[in-house]
Amino acid sequence: MKMRFFKLIIPVLALAASGTMLAGCDDDKGADYINEFYTVERAEWSLNEASERYEVFFRNPNIDNWMYEYGLSDGYVWLNDTDATGSTAEVRKQLPYTYTVYYGDSYYDLTFDYDISKGYIGFFIRTIPEIIPRSLIQAEIDFKVALMYR
């Protein structure tokens, strides 16, 4: 009797679990994405000495209260990078992203990142151990932020 019960209950549980996994979200609309692209020129970066970083902000009406509270975001930066052969190519990196540059007789870590707030998006470059001259920032930096609403 017990063996028959277990033979019956395992397929029933498997069927119930598969139905739950297939159900997914509570609606059938799927996720809504908005991909937004920003290009920041070297002259647009403002130095925030208190935060020890360069920054730039953009108005963004897509980041409303609902998006800020419940949405998701994912950011990327495109940078020129030199490989082992000395060739330079543009590469896309997920934010935050840190890489090292050589200036004068020292190495500096540059960290690219972004933040969102209601109605705004900000991009940042933090340099360690100290702030580097603006002239060392790439002339034009492209960012992409994907906003997911559902």
Side-chain angles (χ1 to χ4, degrees):
M1 180 75 151
K2 286 182 184 179
M3 190 61 147
R4 218 161 127 206
F5 174 75
F6 285 114
K7 285 183 179 177
L8 180 63
I9 195 70
I10 290 175
V12 169
L13 289 176
L15 184 61
S18 67
T20 303
M21 287 185 278
L22 293 175
C25 298
D26 59 352
D27 63 26
D28 61 353
K29 295 180 182 173
D32 292 333
Y33 291 91
I34 295 176
N35 288 315
E36 298 186 337
F37 297 88
Y38 300 87
T39 298
V40 182
E41 303 288 331
R42 182 183 294 137
E44 293 179 273
W45 292 103
S46 298
L47 177 59
N48 181 333
E49 291 187 36
S51 297
E52 298 179 331
R53 67 185 185 191
Y54 289 98
E55 57 191 23
V56 63
F57 295 93
F58 296 96
R59 286 253 328 109
N60 188 322
N62 291 320
I63 305 173
D64 57 11
N65 189 56
W66 194 96
M67 175 61 208
Y68 180 76
E69 293 291 332
Y70 306 107
L72 301 171
S73 65
D74 203 7
Y76 299 89
V77 62
W78 278 263
L79 297 168
N80 293 327
D81 198 10
T82 305
D83 64 18
T85 65
S87 298
T88 301
E90 186 175 71
V91 294
R92 182 180 81 170
K93 300 291 185 175
Q94 189 168 14
L95 297 175
Y97 176 68
T98 301
Y99 79 100
T100 303
V101 297
Y102 186 75
Y103 170 67
D105 58 353
S106 300
Y107 289 95
Y108 295 86
D109 288 336
L110 278 69
T111 301
F112 293 83
D113 207 354
Y114 78 105
D115 282 332
I116 64 169
S117 61
K118 295 174 190 170
Y120 289 91
I121 187 162
F123 297 100
F124 311 101
I125 303 174
R126 182 179 304 275
T127 61
I128 297 174
E130 61 189 9
I131 296 173
I132 63 168
R134 183 191 321 259
S135 62
L136 291 180
I137 296 174
Q138 188 173 309
E140 188 177 275
I141 300 175
D142 294 319
F143 293 93
K144 171 189 168 184
V145 175
L147 302 173
M148 187 173 83
Y149 287 84
R150 250 187 291 215

